Amino acid sequence: QVRLVESGGGLVQAGGSLRLSCAASGSISSINAMGWYRQAPGKQRDLVAVITSAGTNYADSVKGRFTISRGNAKNTAAKNTVFLQMNSLKPEDTAVYYCNAHFGTVAAPYDYWGQGTQVTVSS
């Protein structure tokens, strides 16, 4: 089992910044990727950013404003934490943000999700 615990959401004015954190614990040695998704009311859950050993990838809507990173690889606890630094926030960034850990193979993938953290950007 894998547990993902998110923190850092909240209310911020447009143009402001927030930093989300996600700590992974449990059977995490075979994580292929970690990422952040978001879901606004009445909309589907969409990818925001993902990080793998090969690098990072972002949704077009957040490129240049959001940065995904992982903790210090030399620190056992820190390396299993992923961060999302969100700058220049816009009202359209308002959503519940979910941490994701992706495992498995192309033929048999599986995912774990955090409980979600609310981000609200006021205009």
Side-chain angles (χ1 to χ4, degrees):
Q1 279 290 346
V2 174
R3 186 179 184 214
L4 303 175
V5 179
E6 300 134 336
S7 60
L11 173 65
V12 65
Q13 289 187 332
S17 299
L18 283 174
R19 189 188 195 213
L20 305 183
S21 300
C22 173
S25 60
S27 302
I28 55 176
S29 61
S30 57
I31 289 180
N32 293 330
M34 291 190 73
W36 291 93
Y37 289 70
R38 66 186 181 187
Q39 187 168 20
K43 296 188 177 181
Q44 67 181 19
R45 188 175 297 187
D46 291 324
L47 174 69
V48 175
V50 63
I51 186 166
T52 69
S53 59
T56 58
N57 195 26
Y58 298 90
D60 288 342
S61 60
V62 306
K63 283 181 180 177
R65 300 188 297 123
F66 290 12
T67 303
I68 189 170
S69 62
R70 291 183 75 162
N72 188 335
K74 296 182 180 179
N75 182 294
T76 300
K79 71 179 181 180
N80 296 319
T81 300
V82 64
F83 305 96
L84 185 68
Q85 178 65 43
M86 305 185 293
N87 298 328
S88 302
L89 282 161
K90 304 175 181 180
E92 51 263 45
D93 294 320
T94 295
V96 178
Y97 284 69
Y98 295 91
C99 179
N100 168 271
H102 182 73
F103 297 78
T105 64
V106 173
Y110 60 99
D111 294 89
Y112 287 91
W113 296 91
Q115 78 283 359
T117 185
Q118 177 70 46
V119 171
T120 302
V121 184
S122 63
S123 57

